[in-house]
Structures are given as structure tokens and as C-alpha cells.
Amino acid sequence: VNGIEIYSMKIDSKVTSRFAHNVITSRAVNRGNVSKEVFFDVELPKTAFITNFSMTIDGVTYPGTIKEKEAAKKQYEKAVSRGQTAGLVKASGRKTEKFTVSVNIKAASKVTFELTYEELLKRLFGKYEMFIKVKPKQLVKDFEIKVDIFEPQGITELEAEGTFITNELQNTIKKTFSEKKGHISFKPTLDQQRTCASCSQSALDGDFTVRYDVKRTTPDNLQIVNGYFVHFFAPTNLPKLPKNIIFVMDTSGSMSGRAIAQTKEALLKILDDIKEDDFFNIILFDSRVSTWKDTLIKATPENLDEARKFVRNIVVGGMTNLHGGLMRGINILNAAHEGNLVPKRSASIIIMLTDGHPNEGVSNIQTIETDVKNAIGGRYPLYNLGFGPGVDYGFLERMALENKGLARRIYPDSDAALQLQGFYDEVSNPMLTDVKLNYPENEISDLTMNSFKHFYDGSEIVVAGRFVDSNQNHLTVDVRGEGADDALSYTTQQDAEQTARAVQEQGYIFGEYIERLWAYLTIEQLLERRIAATGEEKENLTAEALALSLKYKFVTPLTSMVVTKPEEDDSEDVIADKPIEGIDMYLKNPLSKPGMCVYAKLLFIVNLISIKPSFITKSYRQSSQVPVSQPTWYTSVDGDPHFIISVPQKRDAICFNINENPGTVLNLINDPVTGITVNGELIGDKRANSDAKIQNSYFGKLGIANKHLDLKLTVTPEKITVQNGNEKIAFTWLDSVTLEQPGLTLIINRKKNLVLSMGSGASFVVVLHQVWKKHPLHQDFLGLYTLEEDKLSEQTHGLLGQFFHPIDFTILEIHPGSDPKKPDATMVVKNNELIVTRGWQKDYRRDPKNGVDIPCWFVHDNGAGLIDGVHTDYIVSSLF
């Protein structure tokens, strides 16, 4: 492609005792006669940790080095300041992260990229699964996937499939396994890679998945190597435990349309799967809380029929009283246990689904977490499902982990019902409760998690540890749990010689595999515990996870890999980071932001700025003109709330209005990760315009807050008030001021605009629009512009904030509308079909007096179908 030929790509995976070590090697040559940029672009599982990367150019190797994130930060900022994309790794799909690096190579030069990553394969529905993303983007002369599996217990089944595999390609998958070894290879020829006989496009584009399971003659398997052990526990043929399950469902207004339809579809299928000796109930919450029944009900055929009718009749509307719904479910479950309404030997589960933020009843997140934890009291797990992008995923994850459960994202796609059902299937067959694996305390120094609330059919419990004496070569384990009929208790023993005999016949164990498995599992669990921890406990968990990440060279959320490029390459070193679910861990290039930009009707020219807070003690000084940097995309709302969403990849725009009464407060931006919120209060004209059906409205007051820093900024056309804790400072628009204090930089440009930067989040510009004081109709108002919105997290939402994420749309069936100059069309956006009208909105950036007409597709009815939920979902009770 473009003179660059990838002539070899090899994916080599070695799996030993469920621990996978994967090496991707790509070789390219510049066939052109000038220097060219070569890209290495691969997707890897989110559950994996990168352990190594290198580039070799004309025989010289440029390695990646793993450092503490803070130590890599200077190189990171240096690259960003030059306008480069510094981050190499970003979340790219439900299960994957994308690793991208590029380098300039001379004509006829060759480059070899090599990336290594490791992960522990998890057992689900009775099989271990390894997922490889295949997307070479061109025909590759020497393409191969090779997977070697070694399992001391023996392999019982092995399968490989690809979403892109045609009948012809099926024959190129070679698969063999016998006893303890399994081998898979996929090596298509150039012709087999083509989409058709004469095509130059590659058919290799999709997921390649390997699944296998091991022999289980005993309920567990214990392996000891070089002072470390791993213990796999997955008993089979146990009787299923009855379960008591409560579904707590969000039915607020934002769940309208497809979301509630898919939720109902999934619930109806789940009701088909509930066993007759299970107990269940359904709780719904919007502004109020409603229940199907007052107690847990046995899943008899009659009760299930009644529940189906209840589900089919669910309607949505109102706010989100999450606390009320969850507490009602917990109280019903607790009462059932206390009143002996459910079997003594049974497993209790709560599954909660929401698509938004708590905004009714108790809405303080810390209070909700405390109340829920106290009410559950460690008796059963809570599973939280976050539907769509508008959830505070960090809050859902913390609350689930504090209550021995987990959180899961449900993506609002056509298969959302299957995602919900799939999650239920994972937890629908509990076999044991209160499983505890006990190891001699005086012999083991570092043990991963060894007590588990539930063991589910088809899964596996994995515990690893380090011996106090690294020469110790034997171990006795006592396992206990509660089953359907009685308590489970047995003892297992193993010595290092047995393990050595089991592994001696194979030659491709990589390094100290059990030690690395132990380190991987320990880091994963420390990072998980860190999510819900605070204060000193969080610091200790961080220090421990960081030390292990550096020692074993894992790229985790606490470390970064610095990739050094050749000196003649005019770009800086680049950084590979581990993204965190729900938090955008990489910086984007502000000059070439993919996605889109959002701005709105501007009535004043604004100099675009880039501020670095200097975090010095408070100082006031006369402000000079705001420093000007390269223009960036920015987001704004201005004038009679006119929103324009520019979609650069379409070279087009979408616009909509919000029509609400004066006094209404709208949530514009809400980022639970950085703690930044922006709300705006509407004002109207001095008197109603009797000729207009819809009255003009503008923003007359803005509230910008950072709850993590306890900062609040109130802006009106008259004054600006800064509140930091209990301390308040006020300014007028006649002041020219620069205010700097920890976490805050504020610049007021007299009678024009103010520029605000809070902590490490985005910067904001508020523009003052002044009209003639004696104007019979209009009054002064404000416009809001967001700069560097890529510093806000992926969880950012609000009327403006939701459009900081990429959006795409398709226009169909353009036809004449009611105005001959403005045709109508059908727009497909966010899986909705909307009737839209071609029109123009004024952009006053370049011409403050007359503005510039921006053509856009106008979405009617307050953005219905384009914005998440309905516009009234964004009405809040106050500025803060």
C-alpha cells in the first residue's frame, strides 16, 4: 500500500496451563524511491498486558522500555506539545485495544516490528477462549497464525474458527491434539487471501478464535514450579443450586425506544430459562420505584406467565432513582432470607441494569455505595450492567466490586438483548457458594484471592501463590464450599516432581510460566481492589501493583512503555499505555481529531487558546491578550440554544435547537471521571414575541464545577464568582484579571470573554454577548466554548458532552420539504430513522457581525432521536 509492502506477518501463541504468551511479528519494506511512513497497527485483547515491543530498521533495533507512568510523563508531554499523537494504545472495540506505531524508513529499507503480550485465559461455558484479531489490510506473502497449547492435565477438545473463514479458507486451518499438546496453524497463500480471484483486497479481516478444554479426572489441578504454585479448581457433575435472583431495571425516560425494547426481549428469554426451584422478582425504577411482587416468588409456570405479562407492559419515563430501586431489591432479598422464604442451600444474586446517572431520591454516589454495601453485608454478589455511553461506569464498577460482583458494559447495538442474555447465562448456574481454598499460612507468602462467593458451572477458580521457602516442593490444600445437598470438603496434595514429570515432555514452556501467571493474576486483582479503595489502602495497593508491573515488565494502568525512534525520524519518543475501561487514557492530536467537533451559533469571535495551569499561589495581575495557539476543534453552544455538530468524516454537520422556558437549567457537560460538570440556566427576551410560536431563549447563567477540587464558577452577564471550598471571590466584566491557584487558572478579558482551566480537564471559554441597553426585546447573554475536550473521559455526557464521542450518520431518500429551498430526508443515526431538513445555521467565528452560513441537517423536536434519551432528561434542578 502506497509503496510499503508488508511481506511477512506472524502471530505465534504459546499457551501453557492457560497462560498465553503471544508474539506478533510484522516485516515491511519500502518499495518506493523516497522515505515513507510505515504503520504497525494491531488489536489485542483488553484482558492482556503488553510485555515487550521493538522495531528493527536495517539491522538496528529500537526497543521499548517499560517505566513508571510518572517517569514517562515528560516524554509524553513533549510529544503532545509538538502536536503529535503520543498514545499508542487506545480502546477500539468491545473486547480489544488498538496498538499503533509508525516510523519513517528510507527507500528500499526494511523494518521489523515485534509486539509481545500475555494473558491468563479464562474458562467460560466449559471452554478456554483465545481471541486473535486478524486485519493485515493488504495481501501478505508470508502470513501465519500458529498456536501451541500445552496442558499437563491433558486436552479433551480443541477448535478454531474465524469470522472471515470461507469454505476455501477452512481447509487452511490445520488442527491436531493428543494427550497434553495441541497445535493449530493457519497459513493461507496469497491467492487464498484474496476476496476474489482477480482482487487485490485481503479477505483476512475479523476474529480468529481458539477454544479448548482440559481433562478433569479430579475437581482440581495443582502445579508447582520453582517456588511458585498455581491451583485450578473446576469440579464437574455437581448438582445445581437453586438460585434467588432479583432483577433491578432502570425504566427512566432515557431508556425509551430501542433500549427498553431490547431489555424486555432479554428479560422474556431469561424468564424462559429460569428453573422451577428458583425464586425471583423484578424491580423497576424511574422517578418512583415499583415492584412486580412484594416478596421473592417461586418460578412456577403460572408465576412465570404472570411475570412475562408484567415485562411486556413495562413503560418508561421520568428520572433515575437508582438508590431507591436497588435498596428495594436488597430489602426484599434480605427479608426472604430472614423469613426462610427461600431454601437454606441456595445462591442469591442481584442484577441491576441502568443507562444513566442517579438524579432522583438519593443521588450522592458515595451515599449510595455505602448504603448498598451495608445492606448487602457481603451475603451475595451484586452485578451491575451499564447500558450505553451515558453511565458512570466507574461508580457501577466500584459498587459491584465492593459487593463481590462485577460490572459489565452493554453496548447499544443490534445485539444488546443477546449481550444481556449472555451475561445472565454466565451466572445462571451456581454450583457452590462460599468457596474457600485454604493453604498453610506459614508456607505461603503471597497468595492471590482464595475465597469466592459463588462457583458457576463451566467456569474455573484460579489461585496462585509464592512459597516462603523457594525450595519447597510440596503443598497440601484444603477446599471447602456449600453445595446443593451438603457441604463440600476435601484435601488435595501435589509435589514439584509430579509437575516436573507432567511438563518434561514438552520443549516450549516460555520462561518461568507459573511465576508470570502468579504476577499477572496478582496485578489484575490488586488493580481491581484499587478501584474501590481510598486513602492509605489505595496508595499501598498502587505501590504493590506498580512494583510488580515494573519487575515483570507488564504495561498496566500504572506503567508506560516508551518507544524510542531513530534519530533521523523527526518525531519524538512515543508512549504505550494501558487504557482503563471507561477512561480515555490516551491523548489525541487536537489538530487531527478523528470523531467530530461540536460548536454552536457564535455571535462573537474568540481567540482559541491553550492554557497550562501553573499551579502557583494566588496572584492577580493585569491580563494581556490571551495567547493564541493553533486552532483546534472546539465545542460550544451559543445564541438561542443552537447546537451544531460538525462530522468531519462526512464533511457535513447536524444541528438542533433546545426550546425550553426561561429559568430551566440544562446539563451541558457531565464527566464523572474528572468531576467536571457544566450546567446552563436559560433566560428569555424582555417580553414575549406575540408573533412567534416558540420564544427565543439564551443562556443567562452558567455553572462550571469540579467536584474533585471543590471548585465552583458562576458566570452571569454581570459578574463572575469563584468559590473554592468556603472561600469566595467575585469579579465583574469590567475587570482584566489573571487568577492562578492550585487546580485553577482563570483569565478575564475585559468585556469580552473569560478563559478557565480546571485541573487536568478541559478548558472553557465563556463569551459575553452584550446588546444595546435600551433594546426593546433582547438582553445580554453568554456563549460557552469547550477546548481540549479530549482531556475529558469517555464517560462524558450531557447535551454537549455526549458529542465529544464520535458519531456517524447516513442520509437516505432526499425529497422536497414544506420549504422549496430546504429539502427533507431520512437520516439514520444511533440506529434511529429521523426525518430531517436541510438548512443553515450561522457560525460567527470568522465574521462576528454577519456570520457565515453553515449548511447542516436539522433534527426537529429538540434533537429527538439524535441526543441520548429526550431533552427533558437533561433538565436539572439547579446550577450545581
Side-chain angles (χ1 to χ4, degrees):
V1 176
N2 195 26
I4 298 295
E5 180 196 341
I6 299 170
Y7 61 91
S8 170
M9 180 174 270
K10 300 204 170 179
I11 301 163
D12 185 10
S13 297
K14 290 186 173 16
V15 183
T16 304
S17 295
R18 292 69 151 169
F19 195 60
H21 174 88
N22 309 283
V23 181
I24 300 175
T25 309
S26 177
R27 301 176 196 275
V29 59
N30 181 358
R31 299 279 185 210
N33 49 17
V34 292
S35 288
K36 291 273 174 71
E37 191 171 19
V38 183
F39 285 87
F40 174 69
D41 186 350
V42 295
E43 292 185 57
L44 45 145
K46 283 181 180 176
T47 45
F49 291 148
I50 291 171
T51 63
N52 200 9
F53 174 74
S54 67
M55 296 184 287
T56 303
I57 303 166
D58 294 334
V60 181
T61 298
Y62 302 89
T65 52
I66 292 172
K67 297 182 176 181
E68 183 181 353
K69 201 176 226 77
E70 287 304 310
K73 210 170 179 182
K74 285 176 187 166
Q75 282 151 298
Y76 199 99
E77 286 174 347
K78 194 174 170 188
V80 174
S81 68
R82 289 176 53 136
Q84 293 169 336
T85 308
L88 297 178
V89 186
K90 61 181 180 181
S92 65
R94 294 183 191 177
K95 298 197 290 189
T96 57
E97 291 162 359
K98 185 177 276 193
F99 176 97
T100 308
V101 70
S102 68
V103 65
N104 280 310
I105 63 167
K106 297 188 186 101
S109 283
K110 291 182 176 179
V111 58
T112 299
F113 299 103
E114 187 175 281
L115 178 74
T116 307
Y117 64 92
E118 293 177 349
E119 67 171 325
L120 178 64
L121 304 181
K122 298 207 169 39
R123 188 169 184 253
L124 202 57
F125 304 124
K127 287 177 186 169
Y128 305 99
E129 181 177 291
M130 186 166 73
F131 164 85
I132 297 168
K133 194 80 176 171
V134 177
K135 197 171 185 172
K137 295 182 184 169
Q138 61 171 268
L139 301 173
V140 179
K141 194 163 120 189
D142 184 11
F143 181 92
E144 184 178 18
I145 296 174
K146 196 170 79 170
V147 181
D148 287 306
I149 300 168
F150 181 80
E151 286 291 348
Q153 284 169 268
I155 297 169
T156 55
E157 55 183 314
L158 176 64
E159 58 191 57
E161 62 182 31
T163 54
F164 53 87
I165 298 289
T166 57
N167 287 340
E168 189 187 350
L169 280 174
Q170 190 67 49
N171 304 326
T172 63
I173 299 178
K174 303 281 183 263
K175 182 182 77 171
T176 57
F177 73 95
S178 61
E179 293 297 315
K180 300 171 185 178
K181 290 183 185 179
H183 178 76
I184 282 169
S185 78
F186 173 60
K187 195 172 181 181
T189 63
L190 267 176
D191 285 341
Q192 287 170 327
Q193 292 173 43
R194 298 179 194 277
T195 47
C196 71
S198 58
C199 298
S200 57
Q201 278 94 16
S202 172
L204 308 187
D205 184 358
D207 304 341
F208 189 83
T209 306
V210 174
R211 293 186 191 89
Y212 73 93
D213 200 18
V214 300
K215 282 189 184 131
R216 297 182 198 280
T217 49
T218 58
D220 66 346
N221 176 256
L222 193 55
Q223 297 174 25
I224 301 168
V225 177
N226 294 349
Y228 291 83
F229 77 86
V230 61
H231 187 188
F232 300 106
F233 177 76
T236 52
N237 303 321
L238 291 173
K240 286 187 174 64
L241 271 166
K243 64 180 177 292
N244 318 306
I245 188 159
I246 291 206
F247 300 99
V248 181
M249 299 286 151
D250 184 341
T251 55
S252 62
S254 55
M255 284 287 290
S256 63
R258 196 175 180 192
I260 196 65
Q262 290 173 319
T263 302
K264 286 159 85 165
E265 181 191 337
L267 264 177
L268 290 169
K269 289 211 172 90
I270 287 167
L271 289 173
D272 292 342
D273 290 339
I274 287 182
K275 318 283 186 300
E276 191 158 353
D277 51 359
D278 291 342
F279 284 74
F280 75 107
N281 201 346
I282 301 166
I283 318 292
L284 309 178
F285 65 89
D286 42 54
S287 298
R288 297 171 304 163
V289 176
S290 54
T291 57
W292 171 52
K293 298 288 183 186
D294 292 334
T295 61
L296 273 174
I297 298 292
K298 200 167 195 294
T300 62
E302 300 75 30
N303 286 339
L304 285 167
D305 276 343
E306 196 184 327
R308 288 185 189 101
K309 282 181 196 147
F310 176 78
V311 169
R312 287 189 189 105
N313 291 325
I314 290 174
V315 292
V316 297
M319 307 287 272
T320 308
N321 186 357
L322 185 147
H323 176 270
L326 203 42
M327 292 302 290
R328 179 79 60 87
I330 295 166
N331 291 337
I332 287 174
L333 195 47
N334 288 348
H337 280 282
E338 285 156 17
N340 296 316
L341 299 175
V342 293
K344 195 169 172 61
R345 292 193 171 277
S346 60
S348 293
I349 297 166
I350 293 184
I351 296 178
M352 195 266 290
L353 171 83
T354 181
D355 77 331
H357 295 244
N359 56 16
E360 179 79 20
V362 177
S363 58
N364 180 283
I365 280 167
Q366 281 79 18
T367 308
I368 297 172
E369 286 177 30
T370 305
D371 288 355
V372 167
K373 190 175 180 182
N374 290 342
I376 290 178
R379 290 187 287 270
Y380 40 80
L382 167 67
Y383 296 107
N384 288 331
L385 306 180
F387 196 111
V391 291
D392 182 345
Y393 189 79
F395 158 59
L396 296 182
E397 187 173 39
R398 265 194 322 276
M399 189 161 61
L401 292 171
E402 282 175 331
N403 294 286
K404 302 185 178 179
L406 56 85
R408 185 74 60 81
R409 276 195 185 281
I410 302 297
Y411 294 86
D413 294 335
S414 56
D415 67 339
L418 288 172
Q419 294 174 57
L420 288 166
Q421 209 185 330
F423 176 78
Y424 169 78
D425 290 344
E426 285 180 46
V427 298
S428 63
N429 291 314
M431 313 297 273
L432 295 170
T433 62
D434 299 312
V435 181
K436 185 86 192 282
L437 299 92
N438 299 302
Y439 305 84
E441 279 182 33
N442 58 337
E443 295 177 12
I444 307 296
S445 66
D446 293 289
L447 190 65
T448 62
M449 195 163 84
N450 67 324
S451 67
F452 303 84
K453 199 66 211 166
H454 290 168
F455 167 72
Y456 296 106
D457 191 24
S459 70
E460 181 174 65
I461 286 171
V462 183
V463 181
R466 180 164 65 174
F467 289 111
V468 173
D469 175 1
S470 61
N471 296 316
Q472 181 168 332
N473 56 16
H474 61 86
L475 184 62
T476 303
V477 188
D478 176 41
V479 184
R480 296 177 186 275
E482 298 295 330
D485 302 327
D486 48 25
L488 170 97
S489 174
Y490 75 96
T491 302
T492 186
Q493 288 182 313
Q494 175 70 312
D495 63 47
E497 281 182 22
Q498 286 170 281
T499 305
R501 280 199 298 277
V503 302
Q504 68 188 2
E505 62 199 73
Q506 63 98 34
Y508 54 74
I509 281 190
F510 53 91
E512 310 296 337
Y513 78 98
I514 286 186
E515 183 178 347
R516 291 192 71 79
L517 186 159
W518 164 82
Y520 173 97
L521 196 56
T522 302
I523 292 167
E524 191 179 58
Q525 292 177 3
L526 288 168
L527 293 172
E528 208 167 77
R529 282 166 55 200
R530 184 174 167 262
I531 289 167
T534 54
E536 192 179 344
E537 185 196 1
K538 185 164 191 162
E539 285 174 21
N540 292 340
L541 291 168
T542 301
E544 207 179 327
L546 173 62
L548 283 172
S549 301
L550 290 170
K551 180 178 177 183
Y552 291 95
K553 296 188 166 40
F554 286 130
V555 177
T556 70
L558 304 173
T559 52
S560 298
M561 185 166 63
V562 180
V563 179
T564 308
K565 292 192 177 184
E567 283 178 19
E568 62 268 20
D569 192 311
D570 59 2
S571 57
E572 298 288 339
D573 295 350
V574 286
I575 309 295
D577 274 331
K578 177 81 177 163
I580 298 174
E581 182 65 53
I583 301 177
D584 204 347
M585 290 297 292
Y586 60 97
L587 290 170
K588 305 183 185 101
N589 177 351
L591 303 183
S592 61
K593 184 168 177 196
M596 77 264 109
C597 78
V598 190
Y599 55 93
K601 195 169 178 183
L602 314 182
L603 301 177
F604 207 91
I605 244 176
V606 187
N607 286 323
L608 298 177
I609 54 110
S610 172
I611 294 181
K612 292 241 187 299
S614 48
F615 302 115
I616 55 172
T617 51
K618 229 175 268 179
S619 70
Y620 298 92
R621 61 177 187 269
Q622 288 298 307
S623 166
S624 58
Q625 184 58 35
V626 178
V628 177
S629 77
Q630 290 295 310
T632 66
W633 292 115
Y634 60 90
T635 307
S636 62
V637 57
D638 206 338
D640 175 9
H642 294 304
F643 296 75
I644 303 179
I645 305 153
S646 169
V647 186
Q649 73 266 28
K650 294 279 191 209
R651 298 190 175 181
D652 208 341
I654 306 174
C655 45
F656 65 96
N657 288 356
I658 295 294
N659 301 306
E660 266 300 334
N661 296 325
T664 303
V665 181
L666 296 170
N667 173 240
L668 301 175
I669 298 167
N670 184 4
D671 181 4
V673 176
T674 61
I676 289 175
T677 58
V678 181
N679 295 327
E681 184 178 322
L682 296 177
I683 56 171
D685 284 333
K686 290 176 183 172
R687 57 181 173 78
N689 180 351
S690 54
D691 297 334
K693 277 188 195 168
I694 296 170
Q695 301 299 320
N696 288 330
S697 56
Y698 311 89
F699 283 112
K701 192 184 278 188
L702 291 169
I704 305 173
N706 185 328
K707 68 180 179 191
H708 297 341
L709 300 173
D710 200 12
L711 277 173
K712 292 177 183 172
L713 188 90
T714 309
V715 187
T716 70
E718 290 75 46
K719 64 178 182 180
I720 301 113
T721 310
V722 181
Q723 186 169 347
N724 190 347
N726 296 322
E727 198 179 332
K728 236 181 198 180
I729 316 166
F731 305 101
T732 75
W733 283 100
L734 297 173
D735 295 319
S736 283
V737 169
T738 296
L739 165 66
E740 292 178 321
Q741 60 187 61
L744 171 73
T745 301
L746 172 69
I747 300 170
I748 300 173
N749 293 302
R750 175 183 157 90
K751 294 173 76 172
K752 288 185 178 177
N753 57 49
L754 70 82
V755 182
L756 170 75
S757 185
M758 279 181 157
S760 60
S763 302
F764 302 98
V765 179
V766 178
V767 177
L768 173 66
H769 293 293
Q770 290 183 309
V771 299
W772 176 45
K773 286 284 172 263
K774 294 180 182 174
H775 195 290
L777 204 57
H778 302 317
Q779 50 184 339
D780 296 350
F781 64 96
L782 303 168
L784 171 78
Y785 305 74
T786 309
L787 308 175
E788 302 177 293
E789 69 244 19
D790 52 352
K791 287 191 177 176
L792 296 172
S793 82
E794 283 184 337
Q795 295 179 36
T796 304
H797 209 253
L799 269 172
L800 274 182
Q802 64 189 291
F803 297 112
F804 297 170
H805 316 298
I807 187 171
D808 199 7
F809 67 88
T810 306
I811 293 292
L812 311 167
E813 301 163 15
I814 299 176
H815 56 274
S818 53
D819 181 337
K821 293 177 186 169
K822 296 180 178 178
D824 284 351
T826 301
M827 173 184 284
V828 181
V829 61
K830 292 187 177 177
N831 299 312
N832 295 321
E833 288 191 7
L834 312 176
I835 298 297
V836 294
T837 302
R838 193 62 172 173
W840 296 268
Q841 293 286 14
K842 289 282 189 193
D843 171 2
Y844 289 87
R845 282 182 303 169
R846 292 187 182 85
D847 182 349
K849 192 174 176 188
N850 304 309
V852 176
D853 283 332
I854 297 287
C856 63
W857 291 104
F858 184 80
V859 178
H860 301 272
D861 302 326
N862 293 298
L866 169 68
I867 61 173
D868 294 336
V870 292
H871 82 279
T872 50
D873 293 345
Y874 300 88
I875 295 176
V876 290
S877 55
S878 65
L879 272 185
F880 298 111

